[in-house]
C-alpha cells in the first residue's frame, strides 16, 4: 500500500509539474526559491495554525513532526530556522485521514513563488521515466500513466532524432541538439520495452530494435566489447570512454545488458545474447573488485543465468477474459518474465514477424490461452488463469 501510494504521488508530481505540453518530460526543479533552499516546500507552525483547524491541526502536527522552532537545522549555520519539512517518521503511519488538510496546504502552497524549472527535455531521462510510467500503468492498471508514457515516447521519437533516425540528446524551445549518447539509446530502449508490455503495440518493439541496431553499429567496441558513451560519428574525441558504474542512475552498459537479453528472448536472435555476455566479460575485473558498484549489471547477470520466462497470451484483446488473464500475469512479481500478446483476431498479427515462435500460438476453444515458455521450451497451452500462475511461479 505505502509503496504504491509513494509511486503514485511521484507520478502525480511529474505529470502535474514536469511535463511539457507536447508530452516531453522536463529535467529538474531547483531546490531554491526566493534565494532560500527549500523555501517552496517548508512550513512554519504559524502557517499551519492559520490554515488548519482543530481537531485535525494537533494530530497533523504530531504525525508530520512539526516543531515550533522547526524540525531540522540549517546546514551552514546549524541553527533551527522555524521551518518544518512535513514527513512521516513511521512508514506505516496512515495519512489518508489528512486528505482534506493536504489539499488545503497544496492550494496555499500554489500561491508561493515557485522554484526555477529546468525545462530541458533529455532523451535518457525521458527513457527512464517512460519505463517507470509504463511499469506503473501495467501494474496499477492506470490509463493516465500509459497515456503520459506514450506521449513522452512520441515526443522524443518525433522531435529528438536527426534525418538518419539517430537520437539527439537535448530539446528546448523547439530546438533539438547534441548527438545522442549511449545512455540516450539504452534508457529509451528500456522505456520502449516496458511500453510494449503495457499496451502490446508492436511499434514500440520495432522502435526499440531500430535504436538497438544504431547502438550496436555506432557505439560498440569491436576490440574489447561493451559500448562507448559516444558514437563513432560524434565530434572527434581523443579518447572514447565507457560508463559502467551503477550509481543513483544505472550505467548505459548495465541497462543495455538487460535490453539485449530481452530482445534476444523476444526475437530469438542469439547474437544479441552474445553481445550482453561480451559486456559482462569486458567489465568482469571491475565487477570483481567492487561488486556493489554494479548493482544493475548484477541484475543483468542474474537475468542471463536464470531460466527465462516468456509468457505468450493469445486471445481477443477486447474480450474481458483476455484482459483478466493479462492483468493476472502482469501482477506476478517475476523479474525474468516477459509477456507477449498474440492477437488471434487479426489476420496478420505483427508480433509474429518479430517473435516468430508465436506464429502457431492460437486460442483454444475461443478462450484466452497462455503459453508459458522457459528457456525457449513452451509448456502445453492453458486456458485457466490459476494454471498459468502456477507455471509462471515454478
Amino acid at each position: 500500500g505505502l509503496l504504491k501510494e509513494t509511486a503514485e504521488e511521484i507520478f502525480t508530481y511529474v505529470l502535474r509539474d514536469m511535463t511539457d505540453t507536447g508530452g516531453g518530460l522536463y529535467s529538474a526543479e531547483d531546490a531554491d526559491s526566493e534565494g532560500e533552499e527549500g523555501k517552496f516546500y517548508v512550513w512554519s507552525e504559524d502557517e499551519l495554525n492559520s490554515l488548519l483547524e482543530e481537531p485535525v491541526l494537533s494530530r497533523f502536527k504530531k504525525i508530520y513532526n512539526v516543531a515550533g522552532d522547526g524540525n531540522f537545522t540549517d546546514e551552514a549555520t546549524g541553527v533551527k530556522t522555524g521551518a518544518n519539512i512535513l514527513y512521516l517518521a513511521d512508514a506505516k503511519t496512515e495519512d489518508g485521514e489528512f486528505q482534506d488538510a493536504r489539499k488545503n496546504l497544496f492550494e496555499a502552497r500554489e500561491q508561493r513563488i515557485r522554484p526555477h524549472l529546468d525545462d530541458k527535455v533529455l532523451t535518457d531521462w525521458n527513457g527512464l521515466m517512460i519505463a517507470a510510467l509504463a511499469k506503473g500503468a501495467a501494474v496499477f492498471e492506470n490509463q493516465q500513466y500509459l497515456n503520459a508514457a506514450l506521449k513522452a515516447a512520441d515526443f522524443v521519437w518525433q522531435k529528438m532524432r536527426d534525418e538518419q533516425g539517430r537520437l539527439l540528446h537535448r530539446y528546448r524551445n523547439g530546438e533539438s541538439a547534441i548527438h545522442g549518447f549511449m545512455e540516450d539509446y539504452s534508457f529509451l530502449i528500456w522505456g520502449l520495452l516496458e511500453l510494449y508490455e503495457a499496451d502490446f503495440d508492436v511499434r514500440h518493439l520495432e522502435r526499440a530494435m531500430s535504436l538497438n541496431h544504431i547502438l550496436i553499429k555506432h557505439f560498440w567496441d569491436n576490440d574489447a566489447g561493451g559500448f562507448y558513451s559516444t558514437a563513432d560519428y560524434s565530434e572527434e574525441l581523443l579518447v572514447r570512454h565507457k560508463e559502467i558504474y551503477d550509481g543513483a542512475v544505472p550505467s548505459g552498459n548495465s541497462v543495455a545488458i538487460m535490453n539485449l537479453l530481452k530482445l534476444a528472448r523476444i526475437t530469438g536472435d542469439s547474437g544479441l545474447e552474445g553481445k550482453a555476455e561480451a559486456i559482462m566479460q569486458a567489465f568482469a575485473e571491475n565487477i570483481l573488485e567492487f561488486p556493489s558498484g554494479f548493482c544493475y549489471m548484477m541484475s543483468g547477470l542474474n537475468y542471463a543465468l536464470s531460466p527465462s520466462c516468456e509468457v505468450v497470451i493469445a486471445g481477443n484483446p477486447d474480450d474481458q477474459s483476455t484482459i483478466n488473464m493479462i492483468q493476472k500475469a502482469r501482477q506476478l512479481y517475476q523479474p525474468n518474465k516477459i509477456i507477449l500478446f498474440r492477437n488471434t483476431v487479426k489476420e496478420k498479427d505483427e508480433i509474429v514477424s518479430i517473435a516468430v515462435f508465436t506464429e502457431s500460438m492460437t486460442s483454444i476453444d475461443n478462450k484466452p490461452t497462455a503459453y508459458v515458455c522457459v528457456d525457449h521450451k513452451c509448456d502445453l497451452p492453458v486456458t485457466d488463469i490459476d494454471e498459468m500462475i502456477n507455471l509462471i511461479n515454478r
Side-chain angles (χ1 to χ4, degrees):
L2 182 76
L3 295 176
K4 181 184 184 208
E5 200 177 296
T6 305
E8 287 175 335
E9 287 176 357
I10 293 168
F11 288 143
T12 298
Y13 164 71
V14 169
L15 300 188
R16 184 187 65 220
D17 295 340
M18 301 296 287
T19 305
D20 180 270
T21 50
L25 302 162
Y26 296 139
S27 295
E29 198 174 45
D30 278 1
D32 298 7
S33 54
E34 300 180 77
E36 280 183 46
E37 186 172 5
K39 184 174 181 181
F40 184 75
Y41 290 103
V42 296
W43 301 87
S44 70
E45 188 177 33
D46 286 346
E47 282 178 297
L48 296 175
N49 291 344
S50 68
L51 288 164
L52 303 178
E53 294 177 359
E54 295 294 4
V56 172
L57 173 64
S58 297
R59 185 154 165 75
F60 185 93
K61 288 196 286 193
K62 181 171 179 283
I63 295 291
Y64 286 100
N65 300 283
V66 173
D69 58 350
N71 63 10
F72 66 96
T73 54
D74 184 272
E75 268 186 35
T77 63
V79 173
K80 289 195 171 178
T81 62
N84 290 275
I85 296 168
L86 304 181
Y87 70 97
L88 297 169
D90 181 356
K92 294 187 186 71
T93 305
E94 178 56 59
D95 69 341
E97 64 180 293
F98 298 119
Q99 220 162 344
D100 290 342
R102 288 171 55 171
K103 188 166 174 283
N104 288 350
L105 297 189
F106 175 75
E107 285 167 3
R109 197 185 70 184
E110 285 297 281
Q111 307 308 310
R112 296 175 179 177
I113 295 169
R114 290 198 74 88
H116 172 71
L117 180 69
D118 179 350
D119 60 357
K120 287 194 303 294
V121 176
L122 300 176
T123 298
D124 51 349
W125 290 7
N126 270 256
L128 293 174
M129 202 65 220
I130 290 164
L133 283 163
K135 178 72 86 181
V139 176
F140 301 154
E141 298 170 34
N142 188 308
Q143 188 65 38
Q144 186 192 7
Y145 302 159
L146 177 60
N147 291 344
L150 289 168
K151 275 189 84 173
D154 282 340
F155 183 96
V156 173
W157 194 256
Q158 286 153 17
K159 293 189 162 57
M160 302 183 72
R161 294 187 306 146
D162 65 13
E163 299 76 31
Q164 289 96 340
R166 304 179 307 200
L167 289 177
L168 296 164
H169 175 62
R170 173 181 62 73
Y171 170 95
R172 186 167 185 271
N173 286 346
E175 187 227 352
S176 298
I178 310 170
H179 288 306
F181 297 102
M182 192 262 154
E183 289 73 19
D184 293 313
Y185 285 86
S186 59
F187 293 176
L188 185 57
I189 291 167
W190 183 6
L192 290 166
L193 291 175
E194 291 289 355
L195 257 183
Y196 169 73
E197 289 202 58
D199 75 353
F200 300 120
D201 187 335
V202 175
R203 79 193 160 113
H204 306 309
L205 290 181
E206 290 167 347
R207 288 176 175 183
M209 288 164 67
S210 72
L211 292 176
N212 199 55
H213 177 74
I214 296 169
L215 184 60
I216 291 169
K217 185 176 178 184
H218 294 292
F219 292 80
W220 185 255
D221 179 351
N222 286 310
D223 300 322
F227 289 107
Y228 290 114
S229 287
T230 50
D232 56 12
Y233 55 75
S234 292
E235 295 76 14
E236 276 306 306
L237 296 163
L238 293 173
V239 178
R240 291 171 78 195
H241 73 287
K242 295 174 194 156
E243 284 293 337
I244 55 167
Y245 176 70
D246 295 325
V249 175
S251 76
N253 272 289
S254 297
V255 173
I257 289 169
M258 205 68 97
N259 293 341
L260 288 161
L261 291 169
K262 284 185 177 180
L263 284 169
R265 287 166 185 184
I266 292 167
T267 63
D269 182 350
S270 58
L272 299 178
E273 219 154 337
K275 283 273 189 288
E277 197 176 314
I279 299 173
M280 290 184 273
Q281 293 287 354
F283 304 125
E285 282 182 32
N286 306 74
I287 297 167
L288 283 168
E289 281 174 24
F290 183 41
S292 61
F294 302 92
C295 295
Y296 204 77
M297 203 170 277
M298 293 288 91
S299 298
L301 177 63
N302 173 58
Y303 189 68
L305 296 178
S306 305
S308 68
C309 178
E310 292 82 51
V311 182
V312 183
I313 294 175
N316 177 347
D318 300 320
D319 183 2
Q320 189 57 47
S321 56
T322 305
I323 295 164
N324 293 346
M325 183 176 263
I326 289 167
Q327 285 171 350
K328 285 288 185 287
R330 279 178 177 150
Q331 285 162 358
L332 292 174
Y333 181 68
Q334 161 47 291
N336 296 338
K337 151 183 119 252
I338 296 169
I339 304 174
L340 300 173
F341 182 67
R342 175 80 167 83
N343 188 330
T344 55
V345 181
K346 273 189 176 179
E347 195 157 327
K348 263 183 93 90
D349 185 13
E350 297 91 340
I351 192 65
V352 172
S353 59
I354 292 172
V356 179
F357 75 98
T358 63
E359 185 166 15
S360 61
M361 295 178 173
T362 54
S363 298
I364 294 171
D365 300 333
N366 283 330
K367 292 179 184 169
T369 305
Y371 297 76
V372 179
C373 310
V374 176
D375 288 337
H376 305 298
K377 295 182 193 72
C378 299
D379 286 298
L380 290 171
V382 294
T383 55
D384 180 78
I385 286 178
D386 289 335
E387 282 186 54
M388 174 191 75
I389 291 169
N390 291 337
L391 290 172
I392 295 170
N393 281 337
R394 272 173 304 176

